[in-house]
Amino acid sequence: MDPSADTWDLFSPLISLWINRFYIYLGFAVSISLWICVQIVIKTQGKNLQEKSVPKAAQDLMTNGYVSLQEKDIFVSGVKIFYGSQTGTAKGFATVLAEAVTSLDLPVAIINLKEYDPDDHLIEEVTSKNVCVFLVATYTDGLPTESAEWFCKWLEEASIDFRFGKTYLKGMRYAVFGLGNSAYASHFNKVGKNVDKWLWMLGAHRVMSRGEGDCDVVKSKHGSIEADFRAWKTKFISQLQALQKGERKKSCGGHCKKGKCESHQHGSEEREEGSHEQDELHHRDTEREKEQQEEKSGLFRNMGRNEDGERRAMITPALREALTKQGYQLIGSHSGVKLCRWTKSMLRGRGGCYKHTFYGIESHRCMETTPSLACANKCVFCWRHHTNPVGTEWRWKMDQPEMILKEAIENHQNMIKQFKGVPGVKAERFEEGMTVKHCALSLVGEPIMYPEINRFLKLLHQCKISSFLVTNAQFPAEIRNLEPVTQLYVSVDASTKDSLKKIDRPLFKDFWQRFLDSLKALAVKQQRTVYRLTLVKAWNVDELQAYAQLVSLGNPDFIEVKGVTYCGESSASSLTMAHVPWHEEVVQFVHELVDLIPEYEIACEHEHSNCLLIAHRKFKIGGEWWTWIDYNRFQELIQEYEDSGGSKTFSAKDYMARTPHWALFGASERGFDPKDTRHQRKNKSKAISGC
């Protein structure tokens, strides 16, 4: 074998590689190029995936390949909470909301709209990155509260002023929660709606739909205005958390296609902002109208029922707490009893109330109660400071009259027991006070609204308790259907339509016709009837002729004229001490009124209560006044009436009694019972009023 041949066989592959080296180099080059391309593609895809998974807030932190903490974007710099409040509810909600916002580590400011100048500062919110929250209440006739009056006026004028334009507040973010009462249906939450609308018209961006709180526990979506606010607050905090992260969260209206929420489609983010907001406003307003229509029809069907199908209680937990603090002993779900200060006074021998002077009741044996805390008015001089609910019809859960009377008497007796051993309390009056003889259905609210008021009155009379029922002249049908009472009162707080609206602030749109019809219904009653006039200086003391015409309409047996009682400052009313007339001014008014109604004369006076009694001349017999009541005789007459099935009627003159000299107008006692000792407060030279 040739050795050279073996050597060739050994080197032949190497020679082949050398000969084909160009192709080898080309293959390597192609492979490296492909590997580079693959790596580029992988990195590009990874970057895209990262951009999709990482929020825009994190992407913006990337600067030249490194993270700059100093340039971190802030999507919400803080929250400003503006409130316009009359009774303090909106202010309280502002405090609660501020606490919730603080838990998100966001700075928060609470601002009273009364102290805020929108002309100078509102434009700052366009670039501040704050979220502005407006908690605004609706007051009388759909107007803003006094504290929010200037802000609303400025906002309304700016929204229609071409000099501001539709983009004046573009960039500002806001949310609105309104406080109102749906009992005033024509202007429910009107201020909240207007503030929401005006801000949007100026280009501000609504971060969530408007919330509406309702004081009417029947129509409130969640059972009370406090619950309405809590539900809205929860949604707001959730929205605020989303805004903090840079998300554009949008509340779903529930009309999206199955499996696809239109509010999260990318296309919506690319739309023109103005167009997006306009569609959003239209959508939400449409939804609001639908909700309101459903509420109206639903309320009619459900009659204010809760989720379990039961009617709601009139007394909410918040209302129970407020009334309890004021000394009310609450009964069931809609009634209450409270000890009158004159009951305490007479227990100690310090004199009785004006009813003792005018009608002979024993003040220490009088129980002040009501089977209905709700009322159809919000009178400016309400001494309960509007803590009670309002309504135009009964839609609440109803307790039985037997239970109400039983617990009312028990609670009254328990309050009397607390005076055992108190210095000055007379032992015999304390013992007498444990047995209720009179019931003043005038504590608060509108007793005649209670559907079982006639059964309640019958129970009182069966217990030998006389009845003094007060109504605000807004329920003429109920007055006509009312069973006999010892004495029926109608509050005549004004003599003209305009002044009545201003003073009583009634819920009914046809309040004036209801008022007149109530007086006409009073005229046909056979038992004792009374007009109660409350004089408010500068408001209703100059309408004497109109008062005289109302007297001829209802022809009452008696007319009580009393100066308004000022029982402290209330944010719900503008009443001040300046509106309280002096006793001499009340006397002058009564003299002038009597001159216009020839069938009446001044009969009695109770100076301590700043009150006088005008009586029909039929109660002046043989030159003597018979304004007092024979209570035993009344109980005999009402029993005969019941036994006869209502056929044996009786009149006011059948149970009258002679008025003692000390109670008469012009007597030196000025209406104070000489059996008692008048207690003068120190440093009080002149009494002008009494509750």
Side-chain angles (χ1 to χ4, degrees):
M1 180 175 293
D2 189 355
S4 61
D6 293 336
T7 301
W8 174 254
D9 291 338
L10 178 64
F11 288 100
S12 58
L14 296 175
I15 294 171
S16 297
L17 290 172
W18 176 253
I19 295 172
N20 297 299
R21 63 184 183 277
F22 174 77
Y23 299 104
I24 294 173
Y25 295 155
L26 182 61
F28 273 115
V30 171
S31 299
I32 291 172
S33 299
L34 289 174
W35 180 82
I36 292 173
C37 291
V38 169
Q39 292 302 314
I40 292 174
V41 170
I42 291 174
K43 287 184 178 181
T44 302
Q45 291 179 344
K47 185 177 180 181
N48 290 338
L49 289 174
Q50 186 179 20
E51 289 178 352
K52 291 182 179 180
S53 60
V54 178
K56 187 177 184 300
Q59 297 175 31
D60 292 341
L61 294 175
M62 296 297 186
T63 306
N64 299 326
Y66 65 93
V67 177
S68 175
L69 294 177
Q70 290 78 9
E71 297 181 10
K72 179 180 178 180
D73 275 358
I74 298 175
F75 294 94
V76 179
S77 61
V79 175
K80 288 186 177 180
I81 304 173
F82 301 85
Y83 70 88
S85 183
Q86 188 71 25
T87 62
T89 305
K91 183 179 180 180
F93 286 172
T95 302
V96 172
L97 183 60
E99 293 175 357
V101 172
T102 303
S103 66
L104 302 180
D105 294 326
L106 281 172
V108 61
I110 300 177
I111 301 170
N112 186 347
L113 285 172
K114 187 176 183 179
E115 302 168 355
Y116 183 77
D117 189 346
D119 203 16
D120 293 336
H121 301 294
L122 196 59
I123 190 63
E124 297 171 1
E125 307 307 330
V126 170
T127 57
S128 67
K129 294 188 178 180
N130 288 322
V131 174
C132 298
V133 181
F134 296 87
L135 309 178
V136 288
T138 299
Y139 197 44
T140 307
D141 292 334
L143 299 175
T145 61
E146 183 180 351
S147 61
E149 188 174 0
W150 161 243
F151 176 82
C152 291
K153 181 177 178 61
W154 182 92
L155 200 62
E156 179 182 14
E157 292 177 351
S159 67
I160 57 176
D161 191 334
F162 72 93
R163 292 172 294 181
F164 287 89
K166 297 180 180 179
T167 60
Y168 179 72
L169 294 179
K170 186 174 182 180
M172 173 183 171
R173 294 175 294 180
Y174 75 94
V176 176
F177 181 84
L179 295 81
N181 193 318
S182 58
Y184 296 91
S186 60
H187 46 72
F188 172 56
N189 259 316
K190 186 176 181 180
V191 175
K193 294 174 183 177
N194 284 339
V195 169
D196 186 20
K197 177 182 69 175
W198 295 329
L199 288 170
W200 179 85
M201 289 174 66
L202 288 168
H205 175 66
R206 184 191 299 107
V207 299
M208 67 176 291
S209 57
R210 181 182 65 252
E212 294 186 350
D214 193 349
C215 289
D216 191 330
V217 297
V218 173
K219 297 181 181 179
S220 167
K221 287 185 177 180
H222 303 92
S224 69
I225 192 170
E226 292 81 10
D228 292 337
F229 175 72
R230 285 194 297 270
W232 181 85
K233 183 193 70 174
T234 300
K235 294 179 181 178
F236 174 76
I237 294 300
S238 175
Q239 181 74 357
L240 193 60
Q241 288 174 319
L243 292 172
Q244 274 186 288
K245 299 174 184 178
E247 298 175 3
R248 298 189 62 179
K249 185 176 180 181
K250 177 183 175 183
S251 300
C252 180
H255 298 278
C256 302
K257 296 180 181 178
K258 187 175 180 180
K260 185 181 295 185
C261 183
E262 295 175 357
S263 63
H264 291 87
Q265 295 297 305
H266 298 296
S268 64
E269 296 182 3
E270 298 171 359
R271 294 172 60 194
E272 184 180 352
E273 185 175 354
S275 176
H276 171 80
E277 292 178 355
Q278 187 173 1
D279 290 347
E280 180 182 315
L281 178 69
H282 175 72
H283 172 73
R284 289 177 178 171
D285 287 348
T286 302
E287 289 303 308
R288 175 64 59 185
E289 291 176 2
K290 290 181 179 179
E291 288 175 4
Q292 290 174 344
Q293 291 175 357
E294 290 173 0
E295 286 174 11
K296 292 178 182 179
S297 59
L299 283 171
F300 180 77
R301 294 190 301 267
N302 299 328
M303 293 294 287
R305 300 180 186 275
N306 58 22
E307 294 178 356
D308 298 326
E310 297 179 352
R311 288 191 177 188
R312 292 174 178 169
M314 181 188 294
I315 305 175
T316 64
L319 180 60
R320 183 175 296 275
E321 180 182 359
L323 292 174
T324 301
K325 286 181 179 178
Q326 296 179 34
Y328 289 84
Q329 299 295 316
L330 301 179
I331 303 166
S333 64
H334 55 76
S335 308
V337 62
K338 188 178 182 182
L339 204 62
C340 175
R341 83 172 185 91
W342 286 110
T343 300
K344 305 172 189 177
S345 177
M346 202 162 191
L347 283 171
R348 304 176 72 181
R350 294 183 174 183
C353 68
Y354 71 88
K355 290 188 183 73
H356 171 63
T357 300
F358 296 171
Y359 316 119
I361 78 162
E362 300 171 82
S363 300
H364 63 296
R365 303 183 67 182
C366 181
M367 176 178 69
E368 191 175 25
T369 187
T370 181
S372 171
L373 290 163
C375 188
N377 291 343
K378 300 192 77 172
C379 304
V380 295
F381 51 74
C382 178
W383 59 12
R384 310 308 178 191
H385 298 317
H386 307 285
T387 47
N388 57 307
V390 293
T392 57
E393 60 183 317
W394 192 275
R395 286 187 172 180
W396 300 277
K397 176 183 177 182
M398 189 184 73
D399 302 323
Q400 293 303 307
E402 292 82 2
M403 182 274 287
I404 296 173
L405 180 58
K406 178 177 178 293
E407 293 196 18
I409 293 175
E410 289 176 354
N411 279 287
H412 177 81
Q413 291 173 334
N414 289 334
M415 289 186 285
I416 294 290
K417 288 178 182 177
Q418 296 175 8
F419 282 82
K420 187 174 184 179
V422 172
V425 171
K426 294 188 174 183
E428 69 277 11
R429 289 191 178 179
F430 177 81
E431 293 300 324
E432 290 173 347
M434 294 300 295
T435 302
V436 178
K437 186 177 180 181
H438 315 286
C439 180
L441 293 164
S442 59
L443 176 63
V444 67
E446 182 65 85
I448 207 169
M449 283 182 68
Y450 177 48
E452 294 292 343
I453 185 62
N454 281 327
R455 279 180 58 197
F456 186 81
L457 291 169
K458 288 181 180 180
L459 291 171
L460 283 174
H461 299 153
Q462 288 172 9
C463 295
K464 306 302 179 184
I465 300 174
S466 63
S467 52
F468 291 78
L469 189 148
V470 180
T471 176
N472 289 319
Q474 289 296 295
F475 296 92
E478 285 75 6
I479 293 176
R480 286 190 289 268
N481 297 329
L482 193 68
E483 292 289 324
V485 297
T486 308
Q487 189 155 284
L488 177 60
Y489 288 80
V490 167
S491 294
V492 181
D493 300 326
S495 58
T496 65
K497 183 177 180 179
D498 291 339
S499 58
L500 187 69
K501 183 178 181 180
K502 179 181 179 181
I503 294 175
D504 280 3
R505 297 187 294 186
L507 272 66
F508 286 106
K509 290 183 179 179
D510 58 340
F511 66 91
W512 182 247
Q513 189 59 50
R514 285 176 168 273
F515 178 75
L516 298 178
D517 290 344
S518 295
L519 300 185
K520 293 175 183 177
L522 199 74
V524 299
K525 291 293 178 181
Q526 293 181 285
Q527 292 73 43
R528 295 168 66 106
T529 57
V530 184
Y531 275 12
R532 174 188 274 184
L533 274 63
T534 302
L535 300 186
V536 185
K537 190 187 293 186
W539 283 5
N540 65 354
V541 296
D542 301 321
E543 304 165 347
L544 284 163
Q545 190 62 49
Y547 276 118
Q549 293 174 357
L550 293 180
V551 170
S552 63
L553 189 64
N555 195 29
D557 295 321
F558 306 97
I559 305 170
E560 293 177 3
V561 183
K562 186 177 185 296
V564 66
T565 297
Y566 179 71
C567 292
E569 182 180 354
S570 169
S571 55
S573 171
S574 58
L575 189 73
T576 68
M577 280 297 297
H579 295 104
V580 181
W582 295 95
H583 185 64
E584 288 79 1
E585 292 174 313
V586 176
V587 172
Q588 180 182 354
F589 176 91
V590 169
H591 275 296
E592 293 175 358
L593 178 60
V594 167
D595 289 340
L596 299 175
I597 45 177
E599 294 182 346
Y600 294 83
E601 291 183 21
I602 306 175
C604 303
E605 176 186 27
H606 192 256
E607 183 192 30
H608 198 93
S609 292
N610 198 14
C611 188
L612 281 85
L613 179 69
I614 301 172
H616 197 282
R617 286 183 175 178
K618 66 183 179 182
F619 292 97
K620 194 172 187 178
I621 301 173
E624 293 184 321
W625 282 110
W626 288 63
T627 66
W628 276 35
I629 298 172
D630 186 338
Y631 294 99
N632 292 330
R633 181 56 182 155
F634 171 80
Q635 296 298 343
E636 294 173 359
L637 292 169
I638 196 67
Q639 187 62 51
E640 292 174 1
Y641 173 85
E642 294 293 339
D643 293 343
S644 67
S647 61
K648 191 172 183 180
T649 60
F650 59 99
S651 68
K653 294 182 69 174
D654 293 332
Y655 56 100
M656 63 182 181
R658 190 177 63 85
T659 309
H661 179 270
W662 58 265
L664 299 176
F665 177 70
S668 59
E669 294 86 354
R670 306 297 295 270
F672 189 86
D673 192 337
K675 294 179 182 178
D676 291 333
T677 303
R678 185 164 185 175
H679 178 74
Q680 293 281 4
R681 293 181 182 177
K682 293 181 179 180
N683 300 324
K684 190 175 180 68
S685 60
K686 192 171 187 178
I688 61 171
S689 179
C691 292

XYZ file of all heavy atoms in Angstrom, residues 380-381 493-506 511-512 515 538-541 543 546-547 550:
231
model
N -91.063 78.443 60.864
C -89.824 79.119 61.253
C -89.676 79.196 62.763
O -88.563 79.282 63.279
C -89.753 80.539 60.655
C -89.678 80.480 59.150
C -90.944 81.384 61.107
N -90.797 79.153 63.502
C -90.714 79.270 64.953
C -90.880 77.921 65.653
O -91.152 77.865 66.852
C -91.770 80.252 65.489
C -93.165 79.976 65.002
C -93.908 78.921 65.489
C -93.739 80.785 64.036
C -95.198 78.679 65.046
C -95.028 80.557 63.581
C -95.752 79.496 64.091
N -101.189 80.819 61.661
C -99.900 81.492 61.824
C -99.745 82.718 60.938
O -98.790 83.477 61.108
C -98.758 80.510 61.529
C -98.787 79.319 62.467
O -99.167 79.494 63.641
O -98.453 78.197 62.036
N -100.642 82.881 59.992
C -100.611 84.044 59.107
C -101.981 84.195 58.474
O -102.788 83.262 58.487
C -99.527 83.893 58.040
N -102.234 85.360 57.910
C -103.568 85.617 57.366
C -103.581 85.794 55.851
O -104.640 85.995 55.265
C -104.160 86.870 58.023
O -103.302 87.982 57.796
N -102.421 85.722 55.206
C -102.367 85.814 53.746
C -101.553 84.648 53.199
O -100.762 84.027 53.917
C -101.708 87.132 53.288
O -100.331 87.143 53.689
C -102.427 88.331 53.873
N -101.739 84.372 51.940
C -101.056 83.249 51.309
C -99.546 83.416 51.350
O -98.813 82.459 51.669
C -101.533 83.111 49.856
C -100.944 81.915 49.125
C -101.521 81.803 47.718
C -100.934 80.593 46.992
N -101.511 80.460 45.619
N -99.075 84.615 51.038
C -97.632 84.846 51.000
C -96.994 84.725 52.373
O -95.928 84.110 52.527
C -97.335 86.229 50.407
C -97.655 86.301 48.926
O -97.724 85.229 48.288
O -97.848 87.419 48.407
N -97.622 85.311 53.373
C -97.038 85.258 54.715
C -97.113 83.854 55.303
O -96.216 83.428 56.034
C -97.733 86.258 55.639
O -99.115 86.003 55.718
N -98.169 83.099 54.975
C -98.274 81.725 55.463
C -97.174 80.854 54.866
O -96.573 80.018 55.552
C -99.647 81.143 55.120
C -99.935 79.763 55.722
C -100.088 79.859 57.229
C -101.191 79.151 55.106
N -96.911 81.078 53.589
C -95.833 80.326 52.936
C -94.488 80.664 53.547
O -93.635 79.789 53.739
C -95.822 80.634 51.435
C -94.778 79.853 50.654
C -94.849 80.181 49.168
C -93.819 79.375 48.377
N -93.876 79.686 46.927
N -94.304 81.917 53.889
C -93.035 82.367 54.455
C -92.826 81.847 55.866
O -91.710 81.464 56.241
C -92.992 83.900 54.449
C -91.725 84.489 55.031
C -91.781 86.007 54.996
C -90.526 86.625 55.610
N -90.591 88.110 55.594
N -93.884 81.791 56.655
C -93.762 81.426 58.064
C -93.875 79.922 58.288
O -93.054 79.320 58.984
C -94.820 82.177 58.896
C -94.518 83.673 58.874
C -94.862 81.661 60.322
C -95.567 84.516 59.552
N -94.883 79.289 57.699
C -95.099 77.855 57.927
C -94.278 76.963 57.004
O -94.049 75.793 57.314
C -96.581 77.512 57.758
C -97.385 77.856 58.999
O -96.783 78.413 59.944
O -98.593 77.583 59.030
N -93.886 77.482 55.840
C -93.135 76.708 54.847
C -93.779 75.325 54.609
O -93.172 74.285 54.826
C -91.685 76.561 55.282
C -90.956 77.882 55.378
C -89.497 77.736 55.652
N -89.237 77.167 56.962
C -88.021 77.031 57.493
N -86.971 77.426 56.811
N -87.873 76.514 58.678
N -95.044 75.316 54.177
C -95.787 74.056 54.018
C -95.285 73.208 52.858
O -94.700 73.717 51.897
C -97.224 74.539 53.765
C -97.064 75.899 53.172
C -95.855 76.498 53.815
N -101.444 74.530 49.641
C -101.497 74.766 51.087
C -102.534 75.818 51.473
O -103.187 75.697 52.517
C -100.113 75.192 51.596
C -99.639 76.520 51.086
C -99.894 77.689 51.790
C -98.941 76.617 49.891
C -99.466 78.926 51.318
C -98.502 77.844 49.410
C -98.771 79.005 50.121
N -102.709 76.852 50.639
C -103.631 77.924 51.010
C -105.079 77.461 50.951
O -105.864 77.767 51.850
C -103.420 79.135 50.111
C -104.301 80.309 50.461
C -105.306 80.846 49.726
C -104.244 81.074 51.670
N -105.876 81.901 50.376
C -105.246 82.067 51.587
C -103.454 81.017 52.819
C -105.473 82.989 52.604
C -103.680 81.940 53.838
C -104.679 82.913 53.723
N -105.666 75.294 53.857
C -105.774 76.129 55.043
C -107.198 76.677 55.184
O -107.820 76.579 56.258
C -104.755 77.268 54.938
C -104.777 78.248 56.066
C -104.256 77.925 57.306
C -105.304 79.520 55.885
C -104.266 78.845 58.348
C -105.322 80.447 56.915
C -104.803 80.106 58.155
N -92.716 91.873 62.730
C -92.240 92.223 61.384
C -92.611 91.186 60.337
O -92.278 91.343 59.162
C -90.726 92.453 61.362
N -93.328 90.131 60.743
C -93.719 89.097 59.770
C -95.232 88.982 59.599
O -95.716 88.830 58.487
C -93.140 87.742 60.176
C -91.683 87.601 59.874
C -90.859 88.577 59.388
C -90.868 86.443 60.043
N -89.587 88.095 59.248
C -89.555 86.784 59.634
C -91.102 85.156 60.498
C -88.506 85.885 59.671
C -90.052 84.255 60.540
C -88.770 84.621 60.127
N -95.984 89.003 60.702
C -97.420 88.744 60.558
C -98.291 89.576 61.501
O -99.410 89.184 61.816
C -97.718 87.258 60.783
C -97.410 86.799 62.205
O -96.868 87.557 63.007
N -97.755 85.557 62.514
N -97.769 90.698 61.957
C -98.535 91.499 62.922
C -99.259 92.679 62.277
O -99.958 93.427 62.965
C -97.606 92.017 64.049
C -97.045 90.875 64.850
C -96.484 92.880 63.469
N -101.472 92.461 59.613
C -102.507 91.975 58.698
C -103.834 91.811 59.428
O -104.514 90.783 59.312
C -102.057 90.647 58.086
C -100.701 90.748 57.374
C -100.086 89.377 57.098
O -100.574 88.388 57.671
O -99.121 89.319 56.327
N -107.126 91.060 57.441
C -107.123 89.700 56.895
C -107.403 88.680 57.997
O -108.112 87.681 57.777
C -105.780 89.411 56.230
N -106.870 88.908 59.197
C -107.164 88.016 60.328
C -108.658 88.045 60.646
O -109.275 87.009 60.926
C -106.370 88.440 61.564
C -104.955 87.903 61.607
C -103.866 88.760 61.596
C -104.708 86.533 61.682
C -102.560 88.279 61.646
C -103.414 86.037 61.730
C -102.339 86.916 61.713
O -101.067 86.434 61.763
N -110.564 85.846 58.366
C -110.387 84.422 58.676
C -111.225 84.012 59.886
O -111.709 82.876 59.953
C -108.907 84.123 58.937
C -107.957 84.252 57.748
C -106.530 83.936 58.167
C -108.392 83.329 56.599
